[in-house]
Amino acid sequence: MKLRLKELRQENNYTQKNIADYLNIKQNTYSQYESGIRELPLLCLAKLSELYKTSTDYILGLTDYDFPYPR
């Protein structure tokens, strides 16, 4: 599965440190999520979806539609 973590982070002008601080994790841990070394936990996925205002499916690469689902 090709996560869009790096793409979204760069499009929004965030550093890995910014995102790691937002998720309350170490920068090295976030780097491992981006590179695919570690699996992204669901809670982090949900928080990133809120931050980027997109769907979790988009972050996970399951769709090319970057808008969130209506509530």
Side-chain angles (χ1 to χ4, degrees), residues 15-27 30:
T15 65
Q16 286 186 346
K17 177 78 169 117
N18 295 144
I19 301 300
D21 288 346
Y22 174 75
L23 296 174
N24 199 29
I25 60 174
K26 294 181 181 179
Q27 184 271 327
Y30 179 76

Side-chain angles (χ1 to χ4, degrees), residues 6-45:
K6 184 175 182 179
E7 173 186 324
L8 284 166
R9 178 178 57 78
Q10 290 176 335
E11 285 175 3
N12 288 277
N13 297 314
Y14 291 124
T15 65
Q16 286 186 346
K17 177 78 169 117
N18 295 144
I19 301 300
D21 288 346
Y22 174 75
L23 296 174
N24 199 29
I25 60 174
K26 294 181 181 179
Q27 184 271 327
N28 184 46
T29 301
Y30 179 76
S31 176
Q32 291 175 347
Y33 296 154
E34 267 194 16
S35 64
I37 294 171
R38 294 179 89 162
E39 286 192 26
L40 183 65
L42 289 176
L43 182 57
C44 290
L45 176 62

Side-chain angles (χ1 to χ4, degrees), residues 3 42 45-50 54-63 68-69:
L3 301 181
L42 289 176
L45 176 62
K47 288 182 78 171
L48 291 173
S49 177
E50 290 176 4
T54 192
S55 69
T56 55
D57 283 356
Y58 182 75
I59 294 173
L60 294 172
L62 298 174
T63 184
Y69 298 117

